[in-house]
Amino acid sequence: MGLKDNEDGTQKIGNTNYAEISKAIYKMKQSGINVLPPSINNSDIDYVPSEEKDIIYFGLIGISGININICQQIIENRPYNSFKNFYEKNCYDGSLITHSKFIQLIKAGCFDEFNSDRTIIMKQYVILSTPIKDTLTMSNLPEILRIKCNIPKDIIEPYYFKKYVINKQFLYGQHPNFKTKKLYWLDNKALKYFEKHCKLKMKENIDWLQKDDLTLIVDKSLEKVISSQMQSLKDYISDPSFMREYKNKAYIYCYSNMLNNKDTNHWSIESCGFYSNQHELSNINRKEYNISLFDDIPLSPVFYTEKYGKREWKKYELYQIAGTVIDEIDNHHLVTILDINNKVIQCKFDKTDYAYYKAQISDINDNKGKNIIETSWFRRGTTLILTGYRMGLNDFRIKTYKNSIYNRKVKKICSINNQTGEIIIQSDRQTI
């Protein structure tokens, strides 16, 4: 592997082949050599062997998204006695270790020497990196509600009522006598709250009126009535006990939204191309889902004959294998997976199918930006079921037939129940 320059002048490792990395790691494991996750204090840029202990430390350069300049920064700032110490030494303006790099280093297990539970380190990072407010005002209410802080119903209801009514879908028009005031009509849902909580505090034909069989309310009058009711809400969110709840919920929200997958074993394959523990699909019920181990499939294709009238033709005997995506090679339409038995397999697609499953699906939002509906099925860490036949030691050709029991070439495994071996499968790409 050679070094290449990034656009920003830093260096990156050229053509990192995660398929070859995974193959080498599992070959070493089979030989009794223990490959440890990268260590923030002990790993070098490349792999570091210890003949005495029969171990090899994974190289920092092998972590997805980590280039040689970042490796050098990590090494120059050693030693580290805790994750907090690492954060303080490497979180500054101009640091090469940005938010996404911190996440990758934690996922890879760089801080296992401080705490082997990577979720705890990740939560530490959230606490250290997330700015949390010391005081709350009404302008913070959308965020408070988004992170699901608990506010009693009778205190929050006035806010919801105003937000519901003062909406363009209920706009009736301009007030006939006041240019700065607008009229909004109340549907049955809003009318119930109005009758119970607002009507007696407002004057008919001034603050509200009946017209065209509709109950209309003046926006300025509603704001005046609601503002007095909102004082209890202001007092509530200013209370110190609520502030403590807000901080806890804010940290939980940041942690939850930062990670698509919270399985720390899955983090290893995403960041380093191998599992620190057993394969995440090792407990799958293979019999239930007709999944074969690659090593159990005949080395060369097996054919069977089909007949229709006087015609007969040969078909491939098809098999299903399951595994985790490690790498992809676009120009050869190849996807490398690690199967349940930790076998590295090259899966060959035709051009059309490769493009279909490779694509990221998105649409255009109101601001003319992109909304990602579904990411590529070939992203590292995606778990798949693939249909086809074996061709030699490490190759698998993707194929299916119209009337085959395997009616999909590729299926995505969304989750697995490790107790029962049951999986949730997505058979088709999402549509816009």
Side-chain angles (χ1 to χ4, degrees), residues 356-373:
Y356 175 71
Y357 291 108
K358 161 82 176 177
Q360 176 173 279
I361 299 171
S362 59
D363 65 359
I364 306 300
N365 59 32
D366 294 337
N367 298 320
K368 297 185 178 179
K370 280 188 178 181
N371 283 333
I372 297 173
I373 296 172

Side-chain angles (χ1 to χ4, degrees), residues 385-402:
I385 296 174
L386 302 160
T387 300
Y389 56 93
R390 183 173 176 176
M391 284 287 288
L393 292 175
N394 303 302
D395 295 325
F396 190 78
R397 300 292 177 91
I398 305 302
K399 188 172 183 60
T400 191
Y401 295 108
K402 189 174 182 180

Side-chain angles (χ1 to χ4, degrees), residues 87-280:
Y87 180 84
E88 290 169 346
K89 286 184 176 182
N90 290 282
C91 185
Y92 55 85
D93 288 342
S95 172
L96 297 176
I97 305 176
T98 58
H99 172 70
S100 63
K101 309 307 180 189
F102 272 106
I103 291 173
Q104 285 299 90
L105 292 170
I106 296 168
K107 283 183 173 182
C110 289
F111 308 100
D112 285 2
E113 58 210 74
F114 305 134
N115 193 317
S116 59
D117 187 343
R118 296 178 195 178
T119 58
I120 291 177
I121 299 292
M122 194 69 81
K123 288 173 182 176
Q124 271 187 272
Y125 171 65
V126 170
I127 291 170
L128 289 168
S129 64
T130 306
I132 300 294
K133 300 170 184 67
D134 292 321
T135 57
L136 294 171
T137 65
M138 292 299 288
S139 64
N140 303 126
L141 204 52
E143 181 196 358
I144 290 169
L145 297 172
R146 186 173 65 250
I147 65 176
K148 294 182 168 50
C149 288
N150 296 311
I151 300 176
K153 184 180 177 182
D154 60 318
I155 293 177
I156 195 63
E157 263 189 335
Y159 170 83
Y160 280 136
F161 176 68
K162 179 188 171 186
K163 187 178 179 182
Y164 181 77
V165 171
I166 307 299
N167 189 300
K168 62 181 180 181
Q169 68 173 320
F170 296 122
L171 178 62
Y172 183 82
Q174 206 75 31
H175 195 291
N177 302 322
F178 303 96
K179 291 183 179 180
T180 58
K181 296 180 181 180
K182 294 178 181 176
L183 296 172
Y184 290 84
W185 64 276
L186 305 181
D187 65 358
N188 289 335
K189 180 181 176 181
L191 199 55
K192 286 180 183 178
Y193 186 90
F194 171 76
E195 295 278 356
K196 186 175 181 181
H197 298 283
C198 303
K199 189 173 181 179
L200 293 177
K201 300 174 184 178
M202 304 175 82
K203 293 180 180 179
E204 189 173 0
N205 295 324
I206 297 176
D207 300 317
W208 67 274
L209 59 147
Q210 293 288 145
K211 191 174 183 182
D212 300 331
D213 295 326
L214 293 173
T215 300
L216 306 179
I217 194 166
V218 180
D219 59 347
K220 302 293 185 184
S221 299
L222 176 61
E223 288 172 9
K224 187 176 179 180
V225 170
I226 293 296
S227 63
S228 61
Q229 297 176 0
M230 296 278 266
Q231 185 58 49
S232 58
L233 179 57
K234 292 177 184 178
D235 294 340
Y236 189 85
I237 65 174
S238 301
D239 188 89
S241 62
F242 182 82
M243 276 298 306
R244 288 192 292 272
E245 181 190 351
Y246 162 77
K247 287 183 178 182
N248 288 334
K249 289 286 178 71
Y251 289 136
I252 292 168
Y253 181 85
C254 288
Y255 177 79
S256 297
N257 283 271
M258 194 168 65
L259 304 163
N260 292 325
N261 191 313
K262 297 176 181 63
D263 180 356
T264 55
N265 194 34
H266 183 83
W267 293 356
S268 296
I269 201 81
E270 279 186 329
S271 56
C272 297
F274 77 102
Y275 287 107
S276 296
N277 301 310
Q278 67 180 10
H279 198 294
E280 63 185 296

Side-chain angles (χ1 to χ4, degrees), residues 16-30 35 47 58 62 268-275 279 324-327 336-339 341-346 380-381:
T16 302
N17 190 327
Y18 287 96
E20 290 302 318
I21 289 174
S22 296
K23 201 180 293 184
I25 287 171
Y26 283 102
K27 188 174 180 180
M28 286 187 282
K29 283 175 173 284
Q30 289 167 6
V35 181
Y47 298 82
F58 192 87
S268 296
I269 201 81
E270 279 186 329
S271 56
C272 297
F274 77 102
Y275 287 107
H279 198 294
T324 307
V325 175
I326 298 172
D327 212 345
T336 305
I337 69 163
L338 185 71
D339 88 336
N341 250 9
N342 296 322
K343 178 88 173 180
V344 178
I345 305 163
Q346 300 275 10
R380 187 180 307 118

